[in-house]
Amino acid sequence: MFMSDIPLAPMERILRKSGVERVSEDACMALRDLLEQKALEVGFKASKLARHAGRVTVKAEDIKLASE
Amino acid sequence: MFMSDIPLAPMERILRKSGVERVSEDACMALRDLLEQKALEVGFKASKLARHAGRVTVKAEDIKLASE
């Protein structure tokens, strides 16, 4: 809604994989908003973790630790 | 890694929005995997919530409640 970096189409595919039979478009948008919010939170934490480790480059290990 | 429904490019854009200066490709992949896992979990719960409300169509309210 407020950002939309992630495209909408993959949301429906993922929802079908999780066992959803039918899905409304607003459900796909709600899922996308939720994921973008989660990504921002994880990114913010990962950025702090990278600096804490003396780096400016965020690596996979920062993302993983940030999401714990 | 195991699914890849969400494209990789938006991951870097979102990470930059969250204040990250430099980001490795494996960090983008780690973020994507994490978001896809989260989406599957939310979808699974949302599917159950829709059925619980007597519907087969998953709506935004199911996604929101599932993520609480």
Side-chain angles (χ1 to χ4, degrees):
Chain A
M1 214 86 104
F2 52 98
M3 287 174 292
S4 318
D5 277 312
I6 300 174
L8 214 51
M11 300 300 102
E12 190 173 343
R13 286 201 298 277
I14 292 173
L15 285 174
R16 293 204 181 280
K17 277 189 191 169
S18 68
V20 167
E21 241 178 282
R22 289 175 61 188
V23 58
S24 71
E25 196 184 346
D26 69 328
C28 291
M29 290 193 284
L31 182 60
R32 178 180 61 186
D33 289 352
L34 189 154
L35 294 187
E36 291 191 339
Q37 194 51 51
K38 175 80 178 170
L40 280 174
E41 283 165 23
V42 168
F44 184 69
K45 261 180 153 178
S47 173
K48 285 201 289 187
L49 287 167
R51 279 198 299 276
H52 183 70
R55 284 182 273 105
V56 288
T57 305
V58 166
K59 295 184 176 180
E61 63 196 73
D62 303 312
I63 299 289
K64 285 170 192 164
L65 189 55
S67 68
E68 273 174 15
Chain B
M1 215 87 102
F2 52 99
M3 289 175 290
S4 319
D5 276 312
I6 300 174
L8 215 49
M11 299 301 102
E12 189 171 344
R13 286 202 297 276
I14 292 173
L15 285 173
R16 293 203 181 282
K17 278 189 190 169
S18 68
V20 167
E21 241 179 280
R22 288 175 61 189
V23 58
S24 71
E25 197 186 345
D26 68 327
C28 293
M29 291 193 282
L31 182 60
R32 178 180 62 186
D33 288 352
L34 189 153
L35 294 186
E36 291 191 339
Q37 194 52 50
K38 176 81 178 168
L40 281 174
E41 283 167 21
V42 167
F44 184 68
K45 260 181 153 177
S47 172
K48 287 202 288 187
L49 287 167
R51 279 197 299 277
H52 183 71
R55 286 182 274 103
V56 289
T57 304
V58 167
K59 295 183 176 179
E61 63 196 73
D62 304 312
I63 299 288
K64 283 170 193 164
L65 189 54
S67 68
E68 271 173 16

